[in-house]
């Protein structure tokens, strides 16, 4: 069994697409996963899965189960414990003097292709900054993330892949829970 982290996009926001974490945990149990933990109401799940299962396969299964149970679509990105550990280690904005309240991580469902990557890297959202490394978009926001132009929609539109964002405190907690 291998530790996985599922990141759900857009549940329990503004009273829409509500899923209780207890119901989400039961759904994951019904899919055959073990040692299931949820973290906060935004849809973060740490669990054990058969190591033969691919992350995309797991994500598709969770998406289908949510659609069947709750009758709405929820994009899901699944990553391994090693992937979240790598993200924490490779954040170019996470320095000893960084205010982690300004840091965010947008998880991408796959690595962007080089053509689309070249187009988005010229986007200027000053004073906010971003750096894409593999399947991660590391974000530094001068002020509030909610005021930034560096949104999930921007990355999905430009890169043509699924994206969901977490603040850096949540990323660190997910990494800690996955150990």
């Amino acid at each position: 069994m291998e530790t996985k982290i599922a990141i759900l996009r857009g549940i329990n926001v503004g009273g829409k697409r509500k899923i209780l974490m207890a119901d989400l945990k039961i759904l994951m149990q019904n899919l055959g996963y073990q040692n299931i933990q949820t973290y906060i109401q935004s849809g973060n799940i740490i669990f054990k899965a058969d190591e033969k299962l691919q992350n995309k396969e797991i994500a598709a299964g969770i998406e289908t189960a949510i659609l069947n149970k709750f009758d709405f679509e929820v994009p899901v990105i699944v990553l391994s414990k090693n992937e979240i550990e790598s993200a924490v280690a490779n954040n170019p904005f996470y320095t000893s003097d960084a205010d982690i309240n300004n840091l965010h991580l947008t998880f991408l469902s796959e690595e962007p292709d080089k053509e689309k990557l070249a187009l988005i890297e010229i986007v200027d959202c000053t004073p906010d900054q971003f750096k894409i490394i593999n399947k991660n978009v590391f974000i530094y926001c001068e002020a509030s993330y909610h005021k930034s132009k560096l949104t999930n929609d921007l990355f999905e539109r430009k890169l043509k892949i699924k994206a969901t964002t977490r603040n850096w405190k949540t990323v660190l907690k997910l990494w800690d829970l996955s150990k």
Side-chain angles (χ1 to χ4, degrees), residues 10-18 42:
I11 66 166
N12 301 332
V13 178
K16 296 180 182 176
R17 298 187 338 164
K18 292 188 81 160
S42 59

Side-chain angles (χ1 to χ4, degrees), residues 83-100:
E83 287 174 309
I84 200 157
E85 183 174 13
S86 176
V88 170
N90 292 309
N91 185 339
F93 305 115
Y94 187 44
T95 61
S96 60
D97 61 340
D99 180 351
I100 65 171

Side-chain angles (χ1 to χ4, degrees), residues 110-150:
E110 59 191 80
E111 282 194 45
D113 74 38
K114 297 199 185 313
E115 283 180 15
K116 291 179 181 76
L117 196 55
L119 292 174
I120 198 165
E121 286 180 342
I122 61 172
V123 171
D124 182 12
C125 293
T126 306
D128 299 337
Q129 303 172 52
F130 72 96
K131 175 82 173 157
I132 300 174
I133 301 174
N134 301 321
K135 298 188 316 182
N136 300 308
V137 182
F138 298 99
I139 297 174
Y140 170 82
C141 291
E142 188 71 28
S144 168
Y145 173 77
H146 299 294
K147 295 178 182 177
S148 177
K149 295 177 184 174
L150 298 174

Side-chain angles (χ1 to χ4, degrees), residues 18-126:
K18 292 188 81 160
I19 301 176
L20 297 175
M21 293 301 100
D23 293 339
L24 189 55
K25 193 171 182 177
I26 291 168
L27 180 134
M28 294 294 288
Q29 288 170 337
N30 291 340
L31 290 171
Y33 301 119
Q34 299 176 6
N35 296 20
I36 303 156
Q37 291 180 269
T38 59
Y39 176 68
I40 63 177
Q41 298 299 309
S42 59
N44 306 291
I45 314 161
I46 301 93
F47 60 100
K48 297 278 188 184
D50 186 320
E51 56 196 35
K52 295 175 189 165
L53 293 173
Q54 299 296 313
N55 291 350
K56 281 187 175 187
E57 182 182 358
I58 295 169
I62 297 169
E63 288 174 354
T64 299
I66 289 172
L67 179 61
N68 291 340
K69 171 88 174 153
F70 300 102
D71 203 30
F72 51 80
E73 292 183 6
V74 173
V76 176
I77 295 174
V78 173
L79 52 149
S80 70
K81 174 181 155 183
N82 291 342
E83 287 174 309
I84 200 157
E85 183 174 13
S86 176
V88 170
N90 292 309
N91 185 339
F93 305 115
Y94 187 44
T95 61
S96 60
D97 61 340
D99 180 351
I100 65 171
N101 294 309
N102 298 94
L103 305 180
H104 298 79
L105 177 56
T106 298
F107 297 95
L108 303 174
S109 59
E110 59 191 80
E111 282 194 45
D113 74 38
K114 297 199 185 313
E115 283 180 15
K116 291 179 181 76
L117 196 55
L119 292 174
I120 198 165
E121 286 180 342
I122 61 172
V123 171
D124 182 12
C125 293
T126 306

